[in-house]
Amino acid sequence: MVDYLAFVLTSFLDWNKRRAIYYKLRLMKAHIGRGVSLGSQCIFNIEQESFRVGDFSYLNGAHIVSASYAKVIIGNNCAIGYRVSIKSTTHLMDKYWPCENSPPKMGGKDIIIGDRVWIGDGVFIKSGVIIGNDVIIGANSVVTRDIPDGKIYAGIPAREIQNG
């Protein structure tokens, strides 16, 4: 009985956390497609209208960072694993902090992920990367450049290991 109560309580807390994520995304005017599943471990640091995910995609525990000048766009039927980092913004390396009280200078470029993309656990996707359709990215890879359609990439930095 105790195990069942623990299961029910855990399920309720997970559901409530997911509901809070969806509510935050609606407030930020993110476009969430039909049948999208967002895991309770997802983290979103986004600005208004800077995030879009297509129909029937799921994100298990991704960390998404986007801004008005650097959007994140995820296509239809994508599978994104745990601890995946998709950050379209970054600190500019050519700008130093002029004084202690000023914020760092930020920059970035759009990240676009095509349709039917499978991204394994622990992947990092660098700002400005475009990933084509029907792509697989192996776990713990670091994607630093564009990936064309129908390829399988893995490694640090991610390199083609096989045609799809």
Side-chain angles (χ1 to χ4, degrees), residues 84-125:
V84 172
S85 181
I86 304 173
K87 299 180 180 180
S88 65
T89 63
T90 186
H91 299 284
L92 294 177
M93 298 302 285
D94 60 339
K95 306 286 184 187
Y96 66 95
W97 296 356
C99 68
E100 293 178 17
N101 295 329
S102 69
K105 304 292 183 190
M106 300 296 288
K109 297 179 183 173
D110 294 349
I111 293 176
I112 301 171
I113 299 171
D115 296 336
R116 299 170 305 282
V117 174
W118 179 15
I119 300 174
D121 292 351
V123 171
F124 175 82
I125 300 174

Side-chain angles (χ1 to χ4, degrees), residues 139-155:
N140 300 312
S141 297
V142 177
V143 181
T144 59
R145 62 187 123 190
D146 296 352
I147 300 176
D149 293 349
K151 304 290 184 178
I152 299 174
Y153 271 56

Side-chain angles (χ1 to χ4, degrees), residues 55-77:
D55 298 339
F56 306 108
S57 293
Y58 72 86
L59 290 76
N60 279 325
H63 184 183
I64 310 288
V65 178
S66 63
S68 59
Y69 56 88
K71 299 176 181 352
V72 171
I73 300 167
I74 299 171
N76 299 321
N77 301 301

